[in-house]
Amino acid sequence: MIRTIEWKGDGVHIIDQTALPDELRIIRCEDHERLAKAIECMEIRGAPAIGVAAAMGIALAAKNCNDEKELYEQLWSAYNRLKSTRPTARNLFWALERMRKVWEDCLKESGNGLKEKLINEALAIAEEDVAVCRAIGKNGSELISNGDGVLTHCNAGALACVEHGTALGVIRTACEEGKKFVVYSCETRPLLQGARLTAFELKHEKIPFKLITDNMAAYVMKKGLVKKVIVGADLITRHGDVVNKIGTYGLAVLAKHHNIPFYVAAPLSTIDLNASPESVTIEERSPSEVTHIRGVRIAPEGTEVINPAFDLTPRQLVSAIITEKGVSYPPYDLSIFFRQGNN
Ligand code: MRU
């Protein structure tokens, strides 16, 4: 199995997600700037994968620094650059803080072996992501039954993590356990992560699925084809408000109307205990993503657009949150997972 992102001797290797599903192309990033660009233009995307990429970016900055006297300055510069890439993905900031703690702790101990420590921390973040996704899959698979229709949005799969995935990790594990069900994958305009990436993964895994355009969701729910909705998250507040790919909120409203459970699968690293619905930054991306599809203009020239990349689903619409620690139900207070002895 190819990993979405891997630390190799000659740099960080990532699968170019802009080339999928037509081509499985690997990009080699030799420095943190190349990784920052890859995050910005979504060659790598999905909150957990962005976090791992940022951590490896810091590790690359350390590895590439030839003058020990400049190491801290270079680390701060890489930290600030990586931090500016995508404003909503909680895992980006979580991973960068973890890396920062390593060099700050090292500073106190006179800085010995710092480069190695940073590389090891980045590798640990990547390995933990694999284990966490497996645990999410196992915890969530109990919610999937034989004969279900399971609707998902965007791509919360192996491509959004190191491997396995969160929402798609649940689907993968349920399938590994022998459950028989059908996945409905929303295409996810504007960048079509559902059509390009989720469909690619499901096809590769031979998991039965049907691709639908985003505006078909109400129809398939009304028809009784969907028994559960499961999505990933870019950020979750302490009380269970969920920020995820634009269109998620609409799906949650539709699910409520049709009495369909709406599940969210994400690692604890996606939870921001200090965030509130009002404080969340929603990334606004280029208008060309809306006026064009894969480089082809579909709207009249000069058309004005808005392009928020994410929306917020209020906690009242979330039936359960699946993490590596188990399945939580409302009313949510996710801070229990961060209390001493619980992590
Ligand atoms: O803009 P993207 O493709 O990075 O958005 C990705 C999503 O919204 C995913 O659902 C989310 O990051 C969870 S991925 C496990």
Side-chain angles (χ1 to χ4, degrees), residues 42 45-48 86 154-156 160-161 166 193 232-234 244-245 310:
M42 294 176 63
R45 33 74 41 210
R86 294 203 67 192
C154 193
N155 173 267
C161 305
T166 56
Q193 289 92 328
D234 273 73
N244 192 48
K245 179 54 56 192
F310 303 97

Side-chain angles (χ1 to χ4, degrees), residues 308-329:
F310 303 97
D311 58 25
L312 182 135
T313 299
R315 60 193 83 162
Q316 295 82 356
L317 298 179
V318 179
S319 311
I321 296 175
I322 306 151
T323 71
E324 64 269 35
K325 294 281 180 190
V327 182
S328 302
Y329 294 92

Side-chain angles (χ1 to χ4, degrees), residues 17 42 44-50 86 89 91 133 153-157 160-161 165-167 191 193 197 231-235 243-246 248 265-267 270 283 285 309-310:
Q17 302 195 30
M42 294 176 63
I44 185 156
R45 33 74 41 210
I50 292 170
R86 294 203 67 192
N91 302 62
C133 283
H153 189 56
C154 193
N155 173 267
C161 305
T166 56
L191 292 181
Q193 289 92 328
L197 309 177
V231 295
D234 273 73
L235 183 151
V243 180
N244 192 48
K245 179 54 56 192
I246 190 76
T248 302
T270 303
E283 178 182 6
R285 291 186 61 86
F310 303 97

Side-chain angles (χ1 to χ4, degrees), residues 23-91:
E23 198 189 331
L24 187 57
R25 186 195 297 159
I26 305 294
I27 299 172
R28 179 161 56 94
C29 302
E30 292 179 23
D31 54 35
H32 78 271
E33 179 55 32
R34 182 65 188 89
L35 262 176
K37 289 211 169 88
I39 297 170
E40 276 168 349
C41 73
M42 294 176 63
E43 287 163 337
I44 185 156
R45 33 74 41 210
I50 292 170
V52 173
M56 289 191 180
I58 296 289
L60 275 181
K63 183 174 171 251
N64 293 340
C65 178
N66 295 321
D67 186 346
E68 287 288 324
K69 290 194 293 300
E70 285 179 8
L71 183 55
Y72 288 103
E73 204 182 310
Q74 307 238 336
L75 289 173
W76 275 112
S77 161
Y79 169 94
N80 287 322
R81 173 68 182 101
L82 289 157
K83 203 174 173 183
S84 71
T85 51
R86 294 203 67 192
T88 308
R90 163 71 185 153
N91 302 62

Side-chain angles (χ1 to χ4, degrees), residues 10 13 77 107 120 127 146 169 204 216 221 224 246 308:
D10 59 355
H13 290 206
S77 161
L107 200 53
N120 287 341
E127 288 312 317
N146 274 318
H204 184 261
M216 293 174 191
M221 287 187 192
I246 190 76

Side-chain angles (χ1 to χ4, degrees), residues 125-343:
I125 289 174
E127 288 312 317
E128 282 168 30
D129 186 72
V130 175
V132 158
C133 283
R134 286 272 162 197
I136 290 172
K138 202 161 171 7
N139 293 335
S141 68
E142 68 193 44
L143 301 169
I144 311 270
S145 311
N146 274 318
D148 274 353
V150 181
L151 186 140
T152 191
H153 189 56
C154 193
N155 173 267
L159 290 163
C161 305
V162 174
E163 58 178 52
H164 203 65
T166 56
L168 227 50
V170 170
I171 286 168
R172 264 199 174 87
T173 303
C175 205
E176 282 166 10
E177 288 171 355
K179 289 182 184 163
K180 304 278 178 241
F181 55 93
V182 177
V183 180
Y184 290 87
S185 172
C186 293
E187 66 171 349
T188 319
R189 269 286 279 153
L191 292 181
L192 301 169
Q193 289 92 328
R196 296 188 303 105
L197 309 177
T198 298
F200 176 82
E201 286 195 39
L202 292 169
K203 184 166 183 243
H204 184 261
E205 298 276 312
K206 299 191 173 59
I207 298 173
F209 75 98
K210 293 180 198 300
L211 177 66
I212 59 169
T213 60
D214 299 327
N215 51 2
M216 293 174 191
Y219 177 89
V220 290
M221 287 187 192
K222 173 87 176 154
K223 278 259 182 193
L225 299 172
V226 177
K227 303 290 181 224
K228 275 124 208 191
V229 177
I230 181 160
V231 295
D234 273 73
L235 183 151
I236 302 177
T237 68
R238 172 181 182 151
H239 294 297
D241 309 289
V242 173
V243 180
N244 192 48
K245 179 54 56 192
I246 190 76
T248 302
Y249 172 44
L251 291 172
V253 172
L254 286 174
K256 181 86 175 173
H257 182 79
H258 293 93
N259 275 318
I260 297 167
F262 183 88
Y263 300 133
V264 176
L268 294 186
S269 49
T270 303
I271 298 168
D272 183 351
L273 294 181
N274 298 316
S276 67
E278 297 73 34
S279 73
V280 170
T281 304
I282 299 290
E283 178 182 6
E284 181 75 27
R285 291 186 61 86
S286 164
S288 65
E289 292 180 355
V290 178
T291 54
H292 291 63
I293 295 183
R294 305 200 90 186
V296 178
R297 185 162 57 76
I298 54 159
E301 234 165 313
T303 298
E304 286 188 22
V305 302
I306 59 163
N307 187 14
F310 303 97
D311 58 25
L312 182 135
T313 299
R315 60 193 83 162
Q316 295 82 356
L317 298 179
V318 179
S319 311
I321 296 175
I322 306 151
T323 71
E324 64 269 35
K325 294 281 180 190
V327 182
S328 302
Y329 294 92
Y332 302 105
D333 182 355
L334 302 170
S335 67
I336 52 156
F337 294 125
F338 298 87
R339 292 187 195 135
Q340 244 177 3
N342 231 331
N343 246 338

